[in-house]
Amino acid sequence: MEYGNGAETAAARALPAEPAGRERASSTAIALQDGARQIRESVASVISGKDEQVHLAVVVLLAGGHLLVEDVPGVGKTVLAKTLAAAMDSSVSRIQFTPDLLPSDVTGVAIYDQVERRFEFQQGPVFANVVIGDEINRASPKTQSALLECMEEGQVTVDGVTHRLPVPFTVFATQNPSEMEGTYALPEAQRDRFMARMSMGYPERDDELAMVDRRDSSDPLSSVRASLSASDVSSMIEQTSRIYVAPAIKQYIVDLARATREHADVRVGVSPRATLHLVRASRAAAAVAGRDFVVPDDVSKLVGPVFAHRLVLSARGSRGTAASASAARIIDQICQQISVPTSAATA
């Protein structure tokens, strides 16, 4: 099995015809790793020095989830989303969220056709494989709620009629820190739909200098060529969902989730949806690494991005970057308290 137009990797050629056991990667695992590599290389051609952020974005994509990128303006949030979209031969739409945006501007609206004497549904920009939601927290909570059904169920219901969204369907949303003017805090139900949250951060000096040189005469985003089709990505998501997760690792994930609900500094811990998201993200991390089984390290590296943005802290007035730092600290404490499964338990 091979995705996109990438040639067979050297690692794949070195494998025997029928790999034996979980110690040796299967042909499916190699194909998944190769597909993920193609996407990462496309993104790296535009954004340099952000390997961890690109890795997380690819993990969320293979897990069939949605990604929230939070940071100050101008650090490449939207460029990352646009480059990921350009790396796939799929339908892409961008929604610029503003305070006057209406829910129907996102999902679509039924318009009366006087000739046919019936209402005809006009699809909104959410009907695409990749939806880029730019500055999502500048829209009102009413408009943000238009994405709830889309992100969870992959469908839109207008005037009692349900319309299925394309497959695959993923939302890459950006938001500015909540301390900035003209922003609304995302409701808990909206944050919970995002599989993971991350920050871009400022580039290192050499990376910023390289960016200045690279963009002095041309836009590198225009040179990105799609290496995977929508059907390729759908197949990768399906294969990723079959990656083996040992019972001990499932118990480890559940214990981490329950610990957030019992922490003294947390008013509302993570939901069962977050538990499922961490399982799916861990499977995707294993796929990116070329494995067909999850190891505890996959979970420990993802628990922060998957859990932290869902915590509602008990301290009054905690919001914005201060709250994010506190949530990250709490997640670190929980990870130190919960015992990690041994290799024997995960075999």
PDB file of all heavy atoms in Angstrom, residues 249 252 282 285 291 294-303 340:
ATOM      1  N   ILE A 249      -2.382   0.606  28.209  1.00  0.00           N
ATOM      2  CA  ILE A 249      -2.283   1.998  27.757  1.00  0.00           C
ATOM      3  C   ILE A 249      -3.654   2.663  27.800  1.00  0.00           C
ATOM      4  O   ILE A 249      -3.778   3.842  28.153  1.00  0.00           O
ATOM      5  CB  ILE A 249      -1.665   2.058  26.352  1.00  0.00           C
ATOM      6  CG1 ILE A 249      -0.195   1.648  26.410  1.00  0.00           C
ATOM      7  CG2 ILE A 249      -1.805   3.456  25.751  1.00  0.00           C
ATOM      8  CD1 ILE A 249       0.537   1.743  25.093  1.00  0.00           C
ATOM      9  N   TYR A 252      -4.139   3.619  31.271  1.00  0.00           N
ATOM     10  CA  TYR A 252      -3.286   4.781  31.549  1.00  0.00           C
ATOM     11  C   TYR A 252      -3.958   6.073  31.099  1.00  0.00           C
ATOM     12  O   TYR A 252      -3.989   7.067  31.838  1.00  0.00           O
ATOM     13  CB  TYR A 252      -1.945   4.575  30.836  1.00  0.00           C
ATOM     14  CG  TYR A 252      -0.964   5.717  30.949  1.00  0.00           C
ATOM     15  CD1 TYR A 252      -0.646   6.292  32.182  1.00  0.00           C
ATOM     16  CD2 TYR A 252      -0.327   6.214  29.812  1.00  0.00           C
ATOM     17  CE1 TYR A 252       0.270   7.325  32.270  1.00  0.00           C
ATOM     18  CE2 TYR A 252       0.595   7.240  29.897  1.00  0.00           C
ATOM     19  CZ  TYR A 252       0.882   7.797  31.130  1.00  0.00           C
ATOM     20  OH  TYR A 252       1.796   8.825  31.214  1.00  0.00           O
ATOM     21  N   SER A 282      -2.945   9.317  19.911  1.00  0.00           N
ATOM     22  CA  SER A 282      -1.819   8.424  20.192  1.00  0.00           C
ATOM     23  C   SER A 282      -1.640   7.425  19.061  1.00  0.00           C
ATOM     24  O   SER A 282      -0.512   7.087  18.685  1.00  0.00           O
ATOM     25  CB  SER A 282      -2.053   7.695  21.516  1.00  0.00           C
ATOM     26  OG  SER A 282      -2.150   8.609  22.591  1.00  0.00           O
ATOM     27  N   ALA A 285       0.069   9.303  16.303  1.00  0.00           N
ATOM     28  CA  ALA A 285       1.491   9.506  16.592  1.00  0.00           C
ATOM     29  C   ALA A 285       2.288   8.243  16.291  1.00  0.00           C
ATOM     30  O   ALA A 285       3.407   8.308  15.766  1.00  0.00           O
ATOM     31  CB  ALA A 285       1.677   9.914  18.049  1.00  0.00           C
ATOM     32  N   ARG A 291       4.925   2.921  13.327  1.00  0.00           N
ATOM     33  CA  ARG A 291       4.576   1.763  14.147  1.00  0.00           C
ATOM     34  C   ARG A 291       3.096   1.431  13.995  1.00  0.00           C
ATOM     35  O   ARG A 291       2.291   2.330  13.737  1.00  0.00           O
ATOM     36  CB  ARG A 291       4.868   2.035  15.624  1.00  0.00           C
ATOM     37  CG  ARG A 291       6.345   1.973  15.986  1.00  0.00           C
ATOM     38  CD  ARG A 291       6.579   2.204  17.470  1.00  0.00           C
ATOM     39  NE  ARG A 291       6.639   3.633  17.783  1.00  0.00           N
ATOM     40  CZ  ARG A 291       5.674   4.339  18.347  1.00  0.00           C
ATOM     41  NH1 ARG A 291       4.523   3.748  18.660  1.00  0.00           N
ATOM     42  NH2 ARG A 291       5.819   5.614  18.609  1.00  0.00           N
ATOM     43  N   VAL A 294       0.735   1.480  19.766  1.00  0.00           N
ATOM     44  CA  VAL A 294       0.975   2.680  20.571  1.00  0.00           C
ATOM     45  C   VAL A 294       1.877   2.341  21.747  1.00  0.00           C
ATOM     46  O   VAL A 294       1.726   1.292  22.379  1.00  0.00           O
ATOM     47  CB  VAL A 294      -0.368   3.258  21.086  1.00  0.00           C
ATOM     48  CG1 VAL A 294      -0.135   4.412  22.060  1.00  0.00           C
ATOM     49  CG2 VAL A 294      -1.228   3.707  19.913  1.00  0.00           C
ATOM     50  N   VAL A 295       2.806   3.232  22.051  1.00  0.00           N
ATOM     51  CA  VAL A 295       3.666   3.098  23.229  1.00  0.00           C
ATOM     52  C   VAL A 295       3.333   4.225  24.204  1.00  0.00           C
ATOM     53  O   VAL A 295       2.747   5.245  23.815  1.00  0.00           O
ATOM     54  CB  VAL A 295       5.156   3.143  22.831  1.00  0.00           C
ATOM     55  CG1 VAL A 295       5.504   1.986  21.909  1.00  0.00           C
ATOM     56  CG2 VAL A 295       5.506   4.474  22.172  1.00  0.00           C
ATOM     57  N   PRO A 296       3.663   4.065  25.482  1.00  0.00           N
ATOM     58  CA  PRO A 296       3.328   5.104  26.470  1.00  0.00           C
ATOM     59  C   PRO A 296       3.873   6.478  26.125  1.00  0.00           C
ATOM     60  O   PRO A 296       3.261   7.497  26.456  1.00  0.00           O
ATOM     61  CB  PRO A 296       3.958   4.563  27.767  1.00  0.00           C
ATOM     62  CG  PRO A 296       3.967   3.076  27.584  1.00  0.00           C
ATOM     63  CD  PRO A 296       4.228   2.854  26.124  1.00  0.00           C
ATOM     64  N   ASP A 297       5.017   6.520  25.440  1.00  0.00           N
ATOM     65  CA  ASP A 297       5.607   7.809  25.083  1.00  0.00           C
ATOM     66  C   ASP A 297       4.701   8.590  24.135  1.00  0.00           C
ATOM     67  O   ASP A 297       4.676   9.822  24.169  1.00  0.00           O
ATOM     68  CB  ASP A 297       6.978   7.587  24.447  1.00  0.00           C
ATOM     69  CG  ASP A 297       7.817   8.850  24.442  1.00  0.00           C
ATOM     70  OD1 ASP A 297       7.816   9.565  25.465  1.00  0.00           O
ATOM     71  OD2 ASP A 297       8.458   9.143  23.418  1.00  0.00           O
ATOM     72  N   ASP A 298       3.945   7.891  23.287  1.00  0.00           N
ATOM     73  CA  ASP A 298       2.995   8.567  22.407  1.00  0.00           C
ATOM     74  C   ASP A 298       1.960   9.325  23.228  1.00  0.00           C
ATOM     75  O   ASP A 298       1.597  10.462  22.905  1.00  0.00           O
ATOM     76  CB  ASP A 298       2.276   7.551  21.504  1.00  0.00           C
ATOM     77  CG  ASP A 298       3.217   6.851  20.543  1.00  0.00           C
ATOM     78  OD1 ASP A 298       4.187   7.484  20.092  1.00  0.00           O
ATOM     79  OD2 ASP A 298       2.977   5.665  20.246  1.00  0.00           O
ATOM     80  N   VAL A 299       1.490   8.703  24.289  1.00  0.00           N
ATOM     81  CA  VAL A 299       0.463   9.302  25.145  1.00  0.00           C
ATOM     82  C   VAL A 299       1.030  10.479  25.921  1.00  0.00           C
ATOM     83  O   VAL A 299       0.434  11.567  25.951  1.00  0.00           O
ATOM     84  CB  VAL A 299      -0.113   8.255  26.109  1.00  0.00           C
ATOM     85  CG1 VAL A 299      -1.152   8.890  27.030  1.00  0.00           C
ATOM     86  CG2 VAL A 299      -0.719   7.086  25.345  1.00  0.00           C
ATOM     87  N   SER A 300       2.190  10.303  26.539  1.00  0.00           N
ATOM     88  CA  SER A 300       2.750  11.339  27.400  1.00  0.00           C
ATOM     89  C   SER A 300       3.086  12.617  26.638  1.00  0.00           C
ATOM     90  O   SER A 300       2.988  13.720  27.181  1.00  0.00           O
ATOM     91  CB  SER A 300       3.996  10.808  28.127  1.00  0.00           C
ATOM     92  OG  SER A 300       4.991  10.428  27.190  1.00  0.00           O
ATOM     93  N   LYS A 301       3.454  12.484  25.359  1.00  0.00           N
ATOM     94  CA  LYS A 301       3.786  13.668  24.567  1.00  0.00           C
ATOM     95  C   LYS A 301       2.540  14.424  24.105  1.00  0.00           C
ATOM     96  O   LYS A 301       2.620  15.614  23.776  1.00  0.00           O
ATOM     97  CB  LYS A 301       4.624  13.268  23.350  1.00  0.00           C
ATOM     98  CG  LYS A 301       6.047  12.841  23.692  1.00  0.00           C
ATOM     99  CD  LYS A 301       6.819  12.479  22.445  1.00  0.00           C
ATOM    100  CE  LYS A 301       8.259  12.093  22.774  1.00  0.00           C
ATOM    101  NZ  LYS A 301       9.030  11.711  21.557  1.00  0.00           N
ATOM    102  N   LEU A 302       1.398  13.744  24.085  1.00  0.00           N
ATOM    103  CA  LEU A 302       0.184  14.359  23.557  1.00  0.00           C
ATOM    104  C   LEU A 302      -0.808  14.776  24.626  1.00  0.00           C
ATOM    105  O   LEU A 302      -1.750  15.511  24.318  1.00  0.00           O
ATOM    106  CB  LEU A 302      -0.501  13.381  22.591  1.00  0.00           C
ATOM    107  CG  LEU A 302       0.191  13.168  21.252  1.00  0.00           C
ATOM    108  CD1 LEU A 302      -0.400  11.970  20.532  1.00  0.00           C
ATOM    109  CD2 LEU A 302       0.073  14.411  20.379  1.00  0.00           C
ATOM    110  N   VAL A 303      -0.627  14.329  25.851  1.00  0.00           N
ATOM    111  CA  VAL A 303      -1.629  14.616  26.872  1.00  0.00           C
ATOM    112  C   VAL A 303      -1.779  16.115  27.114  1.00  0.00           C
ATOM    113  O   VAL A 303      -2.888  16.620  27.350  1.00  0.00           O
ATOM    114  CB  VAL A 303      -1.282  13.865  28.191  1.00  0.00           C
ATOM    115  CG1 VAL A 303       0.053  14.329  28.755  1.00  0.00           C
ATOM    116  CG2 VAL A 303      -2.396  14.035  29.210  1.00  0.00           C
ATOM    117  N   VAL A 340       3.348   5.092  34.695  1.00  0.00           N
ATOM    118  CA  VAL A 340       3.388   4.784  33.268  1.00  0.00           C
ATOM    119  C   VAL A 340       3.449   3.267  33.090  1.00  0.00           C
ATOM    120  O   VAL A 340       4.198   2.584  33.797  1.00  0.00           O
ATOM    121  CB  VAL A 340       4.621   5.445  32.613  1.00  0.00           C
ATOM    122  CG1 VAL A 340       4.668   5.128  31.129  1.00  0.00           C
ATOM    123  CG2 VAL A 340       4.587   6.950  32.831  1.00  0.00           C
TER     124      VAL A 340
END
